[in-house]
Amino acid sequence: MANETKLTSQALYQWLFEACNIMRGPINQDEYKSYITPLLFYKRISDNWDEEYDAALAESGGDKEYASFPEMHLLAIPDGCHWSDVRNATKDVGDRLTKAMLAIEQANQATLGGVFTSFDDASWADKNRFTDARLKDLIEHMSEHRLRNSDYPADIMGDAYEYLLKKFADLQKKTLASSSRRAAS
Protein backbone atom coordinates (compact mmCIF):
# COMPACT_ATOMS: atom_id res chain seq x y z
CA MET A 1 0.00 0.00 0.00
CA ALA A 2 1.31 3.41 -0.95
CA ASN A 3 1.97 5.97 1.72
CA GLU A 4 -0.89 8.47 1.73
CA THR A 5 1.22 11.16 3.40
CA LYS A 6 2.01 13.91 0.93
CA LEU A 7 5.65 14.78 0.50
CA THR A 8 6.89 18.34 0.34
CA SER A 9 7.82 19.36 -3.19
CA GLN A 10 11.52 18.98 -2.45
CA ALA A 11 11.00 15.56 -0.83
CA LEU A 12 8.92 14.49 -3.84
CA TYR A 13 11.71 15.52 -6.21
CA GLN A 14 14.31 13.66 -4.14
CA TRP A 15 12.14 10.54 -3.91
CA LEU A 16 11.67 10.51 -7.67
CA PHE A 17 15.37 11.04 -8.29
CA GLU A 18 16.25 8.24 -5.86
CA ALA A 19 14.72 5.85 -8.40
CA CYS A 20 17.79 6.54 -10.52
CA ASN A 21 20.01 4.98 -7.86
CA ILE A 22 18.14 1.72 -8.30
CA MET A 23 18.96 1.77 -12.00
CA ARG A 24 22.58 2.79 -11.52
CA GLY A 25 24.84 0.24 -13.16
CA PRO A 26 22.91 -1.23 -16.07
CA ILE A 27 21.66 2.19 -17.15
CA ASN A 28 23.86 5.15 -18.05
CA GLN A 29 23.02 8.48 -16.48
CA ASP A 30 22.07 9.94 -19.84
CA GLU A 31 19.41 7.22 -20.16
CA TYR A 32 17.63 7.85 -16.85
CA LYS A 33 14.97 10.07 -18.38
CA SER A 34 13.99 7.34 -20.84
CA TYR A 35 13.11 5.12 -17.90
CA ILE A 36 12.01 7.37 -15.05
CA THR A 37 9.73 9.58 -17.14
CA PRO A 38 7.47 6.85 -18.56
CA LEU A 39 7.46 5.06 -15.21
CA LEU A 40 6.33 8.28 -13.52
CA PHE A 41 3.57 8.75 -16.12
CA TYR A 42 2.44 5.14 -15.75
CA LYS A 43 2.30 5.33 -11.96
CA ARG A 44 0.41 8.63 -12.06
CA ILE A 45 -2.14 7.28 -14.58
CA SER A 46 -2.81 4.22 -12.39
CA ASP A 47 -3.03 6.26 -9.20
CA ASN A 48 -5.47 8.71 -10.79
CA TRP A 49 -7.58 5.80 -12.03
CA ASP A 50 -7.69 4.55 -8.43
CA GLU A 51 -8.74 8.00 -7.23
CA GLU A 52 -11.58 8.08 -9.77
CA TYR A 53 -12.56 4.53 -8.79
CA ASP A 54 -12.70 5.46 -5.11
CA ALA A 55 -14.84 8.54 -5.86
CA ALA A 56 -17.25 6.52 -8.02
CA LEU A 57 -17.40 3.81 -5.35
CA ALA A 58 -18.33 6.38 -2.72
CA GLU A 59 -20.86 8.02 -5.04
CA SER A 60 -22.52 4.70 -5.79
CA GLY A 61 -22.66 3.44 -2.24
CA GLY A 62 -20.03 0.77 -2.86
CA ASP A 63 -21.05 -0.50 -6.32
CA LYS A 64 -17.77 -1.88 -7.70
CA GLU A 65 -19.22 -2.49 -11.16
CA TYR A 66 -20.34 1.14 -11.38
CA ALA A 67 -16.94 2.35 -10.15
CA SER A 68 -15.26 0.31 -12.91
CA PHE A 69 -17.34 1.71 -15.78
CA PRO A 70 -15.13 3.45 -18.36
CA GLU A 71 -17.33 6.55 -18.05
CA MET A 72 -16.07 6.99 -14.48
CA HIS A 73 -12.48 7.40 -15.65
CA LEU A 74 -10.58 9.99 -17.62
CA LEU A 75 -8.25 7.33 -19.03
CA ALA A 76 -8.79 3.65 -19.71
CA ILE A 77 -6.54 1.03 -18.18
CA PRO A 78 -7.02 -2.32 -19.95
CA ASP A 79 -7.37 -5.45 -17.85
CA GLY A 80 -4.03 -6.61 -16.52
CA CYS A 81 -2.33 -3.28 -17.19
CA HIS A 82 -2.79 -1.40 -13.92
CA TRP A 83 0.29 -0.54 -11.87
CA SER A 84 -0.77 -3.13 -9.28
CA ASP A 85 -0.83 -5.85 -11.96
CA VAL A 86 2.78 -5.18 -12.93
CA ARG A 87 3.73 -4.74 -9.28
CA ASN A 88 2.40 -8.24 -8.56
CA ALA A 89 4.34 -9.82 -11.43
CA THR A 90 7.10 -12.14 -10.27
CA LYS A 91 8.77 -12.96 -13.59
CA ASP A 92 9.25 -11.21 -16.92
CA VAL A 93 8.54 -7.95 -15.11
CA GLY A 94 10.10 -5.81 -17.85
CA ASP A 95 7.97 -7.47 -20.50
CA ARG A 96 4.82 -6.98 -18.41
CA LEU A 97 5.74 -3.34 -17.81
CA THR A 98 6.32 -2.65 -21.50
CA LYS A 99 3.10 -4.36 -22.57
CA ALA A 100 1.06 -2.54 -19.92
CA MET A 101 2.34 0.91 -20.87
CA LEU A 102 1.80 0.27 -24.59
CA ALA A 103 -1.71 -1.10 -23.99
CA ILE A 104 -2.62 2.00 -21.97
CA GLU A 105 -1.29 4.23 -24.74
CA GLN A 106 -3.28 2.28 -27.35
CA ALA A 107 -6.47 2.40 -25.26
CA ASN A 108 -6.13 6.18 -24.95
CA GLN A 109 -4.65 7.04 -28.33
CA ALA A 110 -6.38 10.44 -28.57
CA THR A 111 -4.91 11.68 -25.29
CA LEU A 112 -1.81 9.53 -24.76
CA GLY A 113 -0.65 8.86 -28.31
CA GLY A 114 3.15 8.75 -28.24
CA VAL A 115 3.49 9.21 -24.47
CA PHE A 116 5.10 5.82 -23.94
CA THR A 117 6.26 4.96 -27.46
CA SER A 118 8.34 8.15 -27.56
CA PHE A 119 10.62 6.40 -25.06
CA ASP A 120 11.27 3.49 -27.41
CA ASP A 121 14.95 3.49 -26.46
CA ALA A 122 13.98 2.15 -23.03
CA SER A 123 14.57 -1.58 -23.01
CA TRP A 124 12.63 -2.75 -19.96
CA ALA A 125 12.50 -6.37 -21.11
CA ASP A 126 16.28 -6.69 -21.63
CA LYS A 127 17.20 -8.99 -18.75
CA ASN A 128 20.90 -8.26 -19.32
CA ARG A 129 20.14 -4.70 -18.23
CA PHE A 130 17.28 -5.28 -15.80
CA THR A 131 16.84 -8.40 -13.78
CA ASP A 132 13.34 -9.03 -12.49
CA ALA A 133 14.68 -8.31 -9.00
CA ARG A 134 16.04 -4.88 -9.96
CA LEU A 135 12.78 -3.96 -11.70
CA LYS A 136 10.80 -5.15 -8.70
CA ASP A 137 12.99 -2.92 -6.50
CA LEU A 138 12.31 0.04 -8.79
CA ILE A 139 8.57 -0.64 -8.87
CA GLU A 140 8.47 -1.05 -5.10
CA HIS A 141 10.31 2.24 -4.68
CA MET A 142 7.81 4.00 -6.95
CA SER A 143 4.97 2.32 -5.05
CA GLU A 144 5.98 3.94 -1.75
CA HIS A 145 3.87 7.04 -2.44
CA ARG A 146 0.61 7.75 -4.21
CA LEU A 147 0.70 10.19 -7.10
CA ARG A 148 -2.99 11.06 -7.32
CA ASN A 149 -4.25 14.45 -8.44
CA SER A 150 -5.54 15.05 -4.92
CA ASP A 151 -2.05 14.32 -3.56
CA TYR A 152 -0.08 16.30 -6.12
CA PRO A 153 -1.90 18.65 -8.50
CA ALA A 154 -0.73 18.83 -12.10
CA ASP A 155 1.41 21.92 -11.47
CA ILE A 156 3.35 20.15 -8.69
CA MET A 157 3.88 17.10 -10.90
CA GLY A 158 4.91 19.41 -13.75
CA ASP A 159 7.47 21.00 -11.44
CA ALA A 160 8.69 17.53 -10.42
CA TYR A 161 9.04 16.55 -14.07
CA GLU A 162 10.99 19.74 -14.81
CA TYR A 163 13.19 19.09 -11.77
CA LEU A 164 13.97 15.60 -13.07
CA LEU A 165 14.75 16.90 -16.56
CA LYS A 166 17.13 19.47 -15.08
CA LYS A 167 18.83 16.80 -12.94
CA PHE A 168 19.13 14.52 -15.98
CA ALA A 169 20.60 17.37 -18.04
CA ASP A 170 23.08 18.22 -15.25
CA LEU A 171 24.16 14.57 -15.06
CA GLN A 172 24.58 14.45 -18.82
CA LYS A 173 26.72 17.63 -18.76
CA LYS A 174 28.95 16.13 -16.06
CA THR A 175 29.33 12.94 -18.09
CA LEU A 176 30.20 14.87 -21.26
CA ALA A 177 32.66 17.10 -19.39
CA SER A 178 34.33 14.07 -17.86
CA SER A 179 34.54 12.36 -21.25
CA SER A 180 36.02 15.52 -22.81
CA ARG A 181 38.67 15.78 -20.09
CA ARG A 182 39.64 12.14 -20.58
CA ALA A 183 39.82 12.56 -24.35
CA ALA A 184 42.00 15.67 -23.98
CA SER A 185 44.52 13.95 -21.73
Side-chain angles (χ1 to χ4, degrees):
M1 183 95 185
N3 187 340
E4 295 181 22
T5 304
K6 296 176 192 171
L7 299 171
T8 64
S9 294
Q10 195 61 38
L12 173 67
Y13 305 160
Q14 284 305 119
W15 171 70
L16 290 170
F17 193 69
E18 285 170 13
C20 297
N21 289 329
I22 296 168
M23 295 187 308
R24 194 175 308 262
I27 302 298
N28 296 325
Q29 292 177 348
D30 59 336
E31 296 177 289
Y32 286 164
K33 71 176 180 241
S34 294
Y35 290 91
I36 296 299
T37 305
L39 199 62
L40 175 61
F41 291 158
Y42 176 41
K43 174 77 162 80
R44 176 112 166 138
I45 288 166
S46 290
D47 285 358
N48 283 327
W49 191 95
D50 291 345
E51 182 173 36
E52 294 162 348
Y53 179 87
D54 290 348
L57 199 62
E59 176 184 303
S60 68
D63 185 340
K64 292 180 180 182
E65 185 178 355
Y66 174 83
S68 297
F69 285 154
E71 297 81 11
M72 299 291 102
H73 302 277
L74 250 149
L75 297 171
I77 298 182
D79 287 341
C81 296
H82 189 278
W83 180 268
S84 61
D85 296 315
V86 173
R87 186 178 183 196
N88 291 328
T90 56
K91 63 179 187 166
D92 299 325
V93 178
D95 189 51
R96 291 279 310 268
L97 182 60
T98 301
K99 286 178 181 176
M101 288 190 288
L102 293 178
I104 289 171
E105 182 177 316
Q106 285 297 314
N108 301 281
Q109 195 61 42
T111 52
L112 296 180
V115 166
F116 294 115
T117 52
S118 65
F119 297 100
D120 60 357
D121 56 334
S123 52
W124 294 104
D126 181 351
K127 288 195 177 194
N128 292 321
R129 294 188 105 186
F130 281 120
T131 63
D132 285 336
R134 186 180 297 260
L135 278 177
K136 290 289 290 179
D137 288 347
L138 181 60
I139 289 167
E140 286 307 309
H141 174 78
M142 294 298 293
S143 296
E144 289 174 2
H145 298 282
R146 290 187 330 193
L147 297 176
R148 295 177 175 193
N149 284 332
S150 61
D151 298 321
Y152 303 102
D155 61 331
I156 300 287
M157 290 307 295
D159 291 347
Y161 178 66
E162 287 180 23
Y163 169 84
L164 286 174
L165 289 180
K166 182 183 179 328
K167 289 287 272 185
F168 297 148
D170 290 348
L171 287 172
Q172 194 167 17
K173 285 179 193 174
K174 285 181 185 176
T175 301
L176 289 173
S178 177
S179 295
S180 295
R181 283 193 298 272
R182 276 183 274 169
S185 40

